Amino acid sequence: MPDLAIDVRALTKSYGDVHAVKGIDLQVDAGEVFSLLGPNGAGKTTTVEILEGHRKRTGGEVSVLGHDPGKGDRSLKARIGIVLQETGVERFLTVAEVIDRFRGYYPNPRPLDEIIEVVGLQEKRDARVRKLSGGQQRRLDVAIGLAGDPELLFLDEPTTGFDPSARRNAWEMIRNLKQLGKTVFLTTHYMDEAQNLADRVAIIVGGRIVAQGPPGSLVGPDAAKTAIRFRLPQGSPTLPGAAASAAAITGEQVLIHTADPVTLLHAITGWALDNEVALGELSVNQPSLEEVYLELTRPKEEADP
Ligand code: ATP
């Protein structure tokens, strides 16, 4: 397997005069979970469909597992798995029967019981598809994507509509895929999902990549600062100088962004002890991927050519 599962250079795609993808570079290492994030219409589906070989590019170079997906090479198709938002399957078959049917389409399918275990459907092995919950059906979609034992799996919004515990289970399933050495290309609108699962993310806006790297390393223009939050009871004395000048106060809520949290916290907590002020709900946070994302995807005033 090449070290890079996906290598994209200067990719462009236009639909007539709509320039959906405007020259992007993307590298995905073999064995990593990579997440492509971006607002509606940013160019995610276009990019993913080009990688999957379902759409022709306008320009640039694309290599997936060492092949150009634009050439429709059958041997490449057997090495990638695609999990779309909805897979139409025969609802009167059982889970095992459905997976087995798809296994039959591939030269080297993954053993049935292993697939069922990876997706956590052991207890539903003999249940009919129509009796599965929504979350269980999504797991079955992933199981189908694994039927041919692909090296690279494309997962399109795998947890949309899940309740919180079903999402945690699905995350566990995606971690299982990584353990198996699979490369996972994940599109999601949930930032916490990307933050928890992805080794690296890329954020695409208006057909251009605006940030790429491990989720914790991405830094937006104003997001490099630690956020200190607390509740200041009414009638409290004025905050010490450095805190007062940086604080955004809404009612009792105080929010301070700082590049030097240690010094500022020392000043604030010392002041609170001296003045016997209770700092309610005190929290100190790094900017989340969601904050960085919102910062980077905020619409600009000027038009993008
Ligand atoms: P979403 O999050 O809403 O699914 P996306 O990031 O996947 O969005 P794309 O579907 O790739 O975005 O669309 C990118 C741009 O290309 C949009 O402006 C869209 O209207 C346009 N577009 C997509 N497919 C076509 C098409 N077949 N013909 C013309 N324009 C298209």
Side-chain angles (χ1 to χ4, degrees), residues 15 18 20 38-47 55 157 189:
Y15 302 100
V18 176
N40 294 137
K44 299 180 300 296
T45 308
T46 300
T47 303
R55 213 171 262 285
E157 298 185 25
H189 281 121

Side-chain angles (χ1 to χ4, degrees), residues 2 5 7 51 62-71 73 75-76 79:
D7 193 4
L51 298 177
V62 179
S63 168
V64 173
L65 303 174
H67 294 250
D68 179 350
K71 294 198 169 139
D73 195 335
S75 68
L76 175 61
R79 293 168 63 201

Side-chain angles (χ1 to χ4, degrees), residues 200-221:
R200 288 188 313 122
V201 303
I203 300 177
I204 182 170
V205 181
R208 293 199 173 91
I209 303 280
V210 295
Q212 187 170 183
S217 78
L218 295 191
V219 167

